Amino acid sequence: MDFRGRPFGPMPYLMATAEYVTKVHAICKRTGNLANYSMRTSQGTELVELGETESYEAVSRRVFVDEFLNTNK
């Protein structure tokens, strides 16, 4: 998914047609749970922004909903 939590590019189609799908998750540093989202920490608005730890943070669903969805309504 993209930083807004929406399906990204051709990924939904690829997952639907793939024979096998293996999901790999990071660990959310805030909760210790599986990190299902990449939350953007920079103020950029472009769909694709180059960056690693300075621009994105792997977060759990709870953190993503609390911090991204509730502040960007």
Side-chain angles (χ1 to χ4, degrees), residues 10-57:
M11 295 310 293
Y13 176 77
L14 290 172
M15 290 179 69
T17 59
E19 191 71 27
Y20 300 99
V21 175
T22 302
K23 291 187 175 186
V24 180
H25 296 283
I27 301 297
C28 178
K29 290 182 180 178
R30 299 185 196 190
T31 65
N33 295 328
L34 290 179
N36 302 65
Y37 295 89
S38 291
M39 187 169 69
R40 185 174 288 170
T41 56
S42 66
Q43 298 300 315
T45 58
E46 295 293 322
L47 181 59
V48 177
E49 181 178 312
L50 296 180
E52 195 177 288
T53 57
E54 72 279 357
S55 299
Y56 296 92
E57 180 181 358

Side-chain angles (χ1 to χ4, degrees), residues 1-9 37-39 47 56 64 68:
M1 292 185 280
D2 65 15
F3 76 98
R4 297 172 295 191
R6 298 179 183 157
F8 182 73
Y37 295 89
S38 291
M39 187 169 69
L47 181 59
Y56 296 92
F64 185 78
F68 182 80

Side-chain angles (χ1 to χ4, degrees), residues 54-70:
E54 72 279 357
S55 299
Y56 296 92
E57 180 181 358
V59 296
S60 65
R61 183 180 311 275
R62 187 181 85 198
V63 172
F64 185 78
V65 168
D66 289 348
E67 294 196 17
F68 182 80
L69 293 182
N70 290 336

